[in-house]
Amino acid sequence: MIPERWLNAALTLGLLAVPLWALWADEPFTITLATKVAILALAGVGLNIALGIGGLVSLGHAAFFGVGGYAMGILAHHAQTFQPMIWGLEGTKSMPIIWLTALVSSGLAALAIGALTLRTSGVYFIMITLAFGQMFYYFAISWPAYGGEDGLSIYVRNGFPGLNTLDPIQFFAIAFTALMLALFLHARLKASPFGLVLNAARQSPDRVETVGLSPFRLRLLAFVISGAITGLAGALFADLNRFVSPTMFSWQLSGELIVFLLIGGVARLYGPVVGAAVFIFLEHHLGDISEFWQIGLGVLLLLIVLFARGGLIGLVAGEKR
């Protein structure tokens, strides 16, 4: 078995090596695929905080992904059309401001949703989060000011000081840095007293309550952090495609994020990275062979569930003690 920290280091180097090779080989599309992996892995890291540490199986995380995407789309749309928003606020093409807006808006959405859904548990929690995600989806469809069902196109990618964001390798560097920061935050949270108590609340909420702590508040804070990170990924994903649409709120995306964790390993630090990379690899290569490439994904997922309960990372690094 390979120690997990060594495996994580190898995965980091591998994620860096692919776009660097593509830059040398003049394969910009491969750089874009690596960027997509980094962004979707970032969304998976957000879910992994709620699911991996807190045990919260959410089927509505696409709501936060979409909120982050639409935060970018709305601000960039008003900046490119020179039309003020409500209360005379101006749009912007500045990535740092857009990211802050995406973090705050998706965090507030997670606070509102979590305050209601976390009063339930089990299948009820799963279904209510799914319902909230669908509410956001149908709201976006019926919002004609920002494209409705057709979505909203952004003509020029937003800017970051000192970088040319239209250069694929430079935009990859932005997404990769965001992913590394999120992984660092996840690792610190998991090892912190908050992470330990949150894990204890997942295993035995009654015991946590007897020592004077509120499992509800612990889960709500984890849910808000999780939603904010997923919203940031949504903003980056929308910037990558220069397009936002209601599909960013779809329940299928929420399911894909859970699939990432199952493939890589739930609660494993690099589980979302492995899951996103495998998913994009299968989508790209099997998708060239057949439009029914999800059959291959389903077979892989079935094998992992049956024979590798710790995901691919658990298969290589061994089960956690």
Side-chain angles (χ1 to χ4, degrees), residues 62-72 102 105-106 109 136 231 249:
F64 314 129
F65 192 81
V67 166
Y70 268 83
M72 186 289 288
S105 57
S106 54
F136 276 87
F249 291 107

Side-chain angles (χ1 to χ4, degrees), residues 2-15 180 183 187 268-271 273-274 313 317:
I2 302 175
E4 190 169 340
R5 63 179 182 276
W6 292 3
L7 181 59
N8 293 345
L11 290 169
T12 302
L13 293 176
L15 186 57
M180 291 298 107
L183 288 170
R268 300 281 185 166
L269 181 61
Y270 271 67
V273 179
V274 172
I313 291 182

Side-chain angles (χ1 to χ4, degrees), residues 19 22 27-37 157 168 172 240-241:
E27 294 281 353
F29 181 68
T30 302
I31 301 176
T32 301
L33 286 179
T35 305
K36 188 176 180 181
V37 168
R157 185 170 289 160
F172 167 80
L240 173 66
N241 299 315

Side-chain angles (χ1 to χ4, degrees), residues 70-261:
Y70 268 83
M72 186 289 288
I74 291 170
L75 288 173
H77 171 73
H78 284 277
Q80 73 183 13
T81 58
F82 304 101
Q83 296 176 354
M85 297 185 292
I86 57 173
W87 303 314
L89 296 175
E90 299 291 335
T92 180
K93 300 287 286 183
S94 171
M95 280 187 177
I97 297 176
I98 289 171
W99 295 344
L100 179 61
T101 304
L103 285 167
V104 172
S105 57
S106 54
L108 290 175
L111 178 63
I113 294 174
L116 296 173
T117 59
L118 289 171
R119 301 183 186 279
T120 63
S121 60
V123 68
Y124 300 103
F125 174 79
I126 296 172
M127 297 310 297
I128 294 177
T129 56
L130 173 61
F132 270 108
Q134 290 302 98
M135 287 168 59
F136 276 87
Y137 174 76
Y138 286 109
F139 176 78
I141 285 179
S142 60
W143 201 4
Y146 298 108
E149 191 173 2
D150 296 327
L152 188 65
S153 294
I154 306 301
Y155 304 131
V156 179
R157 185 170 289 160
N158 297 304
F160 189 90
L163 294 178
N164 176 15
T165 57
L166 289 174
D167 183 6
I169 194 65
Q170 294 190 46
F171 191 77
F172 167 80
I174 293 173
F176 179 80
T177 302
L179 173 61
M180 291 298 107
L181 290 174
L183 288 170
F184 176 77
L185 175 63
H186 180 272
R188 297 300 299 169
L189 277 176
K190 191 172 182 179
S192 69
F194 168 74
L196 296 175
V197 175
L198 179 63
N199 188 42
R202 174 179 63 84
Q203 299 181 53
S204 181
D206 292 337
R207 292 186 178 182
V208 171
E209 201 163 3
T210 58
V211 298
L213 297 173
S214 170
F216 173 79
R217 293 181 180 178
L218 291 167
R219 291 169 178 157
L220 182 59
L221 179 56
F223 198 71
V224 170
I225 295 172
S226 173
I229 293 174
T230 306
L232 175 60
L236 285 168
F237 190 77
D239 232 334
L240 173 66
N241 299 315
R242 284 174 279 179
F243 180 73
V244 292
S245 74
T247 56
M248 295 185 71
F249 291 107
S250 68
W251 68 268
Q252 290 94 334
L253 178 60
S254 296
E256 287 173 4
L257 295 180
I258 294 177
V259 167
F260 294 167
L261 299 187

